[in-house]
Amino acid sequence: MKRSMYGADWTTLVRWAALPLAMTVAIQSFAADLDTLQARGGIRIAVADEAPYGYLDENGEARGAGPDVARHVLGELGIDDIAWEVTAFGDLIPGLEEGRFDMAAAEMAIRPERCRRVLFSAPNTSYGEGLLVRASNPLEINGYQDFAERDDIRVAVLAGATQVDIMSALGVPDDRVVSLDDNAAAIDALLADRADAYAGTGLTVSQLDAQHPGVEIVQGFEDPKVNGEIVRSWGAFAFPKDATTLRDAFDEVLLDYRNTQAWEDTLEGHGFTQDDVLNAFRFDTDWLCRHQG
């Protein structure tokens, strides 16, 4: 299998702040179509500030699997100026619905309930689950199912993330689930004893593990199963419901790009494994919108 690379510059939010007020109101009132974006030469893209999916580095530059692939695809479409907007993960879909940005590059998992509210591109990534605990795992937590079976432990999850639904499907009581606004709060939640573990994707907890000696990834993590199926997510770009023209044009380029070495190199450069890369091709968006629970 072969794969591809990326390019194009981006602008800061300051450029958009200079737009006339009337144009700003108009932009926020509906989803910009492809012709409008090409004429404007720019687009507003939201990220949830979550490595390695989509985040801003210390210089304010967008990084991650989502932004890097988006730059290439949009460059092919003649859209080179990108205004990156950081928002809470739970605000991504409302922000698209309200027209506050034109797309999201957060590798949001394709789920039926989300498909009813936004349009998804073809899958760009695939990833499994993980669990972060205090160093040495003093409570001997092994997997998500522990929170359904034990009443002495609490799990933190990102508000609006897939893990919320997984915990519900596993029968974890609400009073054992602690909601966080962003992944950066996970380490503090564990060290301050507000939660005993943080449930996230394997890549997310790996990133957090490297940030503080007081936490670690659960070794021998037991993958969660829902209805007998191991849980895995397929991440994609999200668009407003009425942005079909933009989404379809984006998909046309993305589907070709996924067959290049540079695309695979980009994902692996952000920590995705060969298995993750291969799994990205396993299902299409229509199937995931109908079946992925």
Side-chain angles (χ1 to χ4, degrees):
M1 186 191 307
K2 298 181 180 177
R3 348 303 168 183
S4 121
M5 206 60 213
Y6 53 91
D9 294 328
W10 62 284
T11 61
T12 63
L13 296 177
V14 175
R15 182 185 295 269
W16 292 102
L19 289 171
L21 178 60
M23 182 178 290
T24 302
V25 172
I27 288 172
Q28 292 177 343
S29 65
F30 61 88
D33 62 19
L34 179 60
D35 290 341
T36 299
L37 292 174
Q38 287 174 328
R40 201 163 78 199
I43 188 171
R44 301 161 302 159
I45 304 181
V47 296
D49 216 21
E50 181 181 7
Y53 306 109
Y55 62 100
L56 300 189
D57 65 16
E58 61 276 8
N59 298 316
E61 296 191 11
R63 304 292 185 192
D68 284 352
V69 172
R71 283 192 188 95
H72 172 85
V73 174
L74 293 170
E76 292 291 309
L77 294 174
I79 302 170
D80 295 325
D81 284 346
I82 302 176
W84 299 101
E85 303 191 19
V86 175
T87 189
F89 186 89
D91 192 46
L92 290 171
I93 289 179
L96 290 168
E97 292 176 322
E98 296 163 11
R100 286 185 273 121
F101 27 81
D102 304 304
M103 63 178 282
E107 296 308 307
M108 183 188 298
I110 302 171
R111 302 281 173 181
E113 68 277 8
R114 293 171 178 169
C115 295
R116 290 189 280 271
R117 300 178 64 183
V118 297
L119 297 177
F120 281 104
S121 70
N124 183 52
T125 55
S126 180
Y127 43 86
E129 297 296 304
L131 202 55
L132 190 74
V133 294
R134 288 185 283 276
S136 300
N137 196 5
L139 297 177
E140 299 182 348
I141 300 170
N142 298 309
Y144 291 2
Q145 189 63 40
D146 288 1
F147 302 101
E149 299 173 350
R150 295 171 55 177
D151 60 9
D152 63 327
I153 51 176
R154 301 148 299 160
V155 60
V157 296
L158 180 65
T162 303
Q163 289 72 28
V164 176
D165 298 327
I166 296 174
M167 295 300 166
S168 177
L170 292 174
V172 179
D174 291 343
D175 61 1
R176 292 181 207 158
V177 179
V178 178
S179 181
L180 303 179
D181 289 333
D182 55 64
N183 285 295
I187 294 175
D188 285 343
L190 295 182
L191 298 181
D193 199 29
R194 293 195 299 274
D196 302 301
Y198 178 67
T201 68
L203 288 165
T204 296
V205 299
S206 292
Q207 293 278 340
L208 292 170
D209 174 42
Q211 295 178 24
H212 198 286
V215 297
E216 68 178 41
I217 297 172
V218 167
Q219 301 300 316
F221 173 75
E222 299 173 1
D223 288 315
K225 289 185 178 181
V226 174
N227 298 323
E229 296 289 332
I230 292 177
V231 175
R232 173 169 278 274
S233 296
W234 280 262
F237 301 92
F239 304 84
K241 265 292 189 182
D242 56 349
T244 304
T245 301
L246 173 60
R247 191 278 308 272
D248 290 351
F250 190 95
D251 258 3
E252 185 174 354
V253 178
L254 175 61
L255 289 169
D256 285 340
Y257 189 43
R258 292 195 315 174
N259 291 318
T260 66
Q261 184 65 48
W263 174 78
E264 180 175 340
D265 290 345
T266 297
L267 265 57
E268 291 185 348
H270 288 293
F272 289 86
T273 66
Q274 182 68 22
D275 187 53
D276 292 333
V277 171
L278 293 174
N279 263 294
F281 295 89
R282 186 175 176 186
F283 300 114
D284 63 21
T285 302
D286 287 342
W287 191 95
L288 292 166
C289 281
R290 287 183 281 111
H291 295 93
Q292 188 72 346

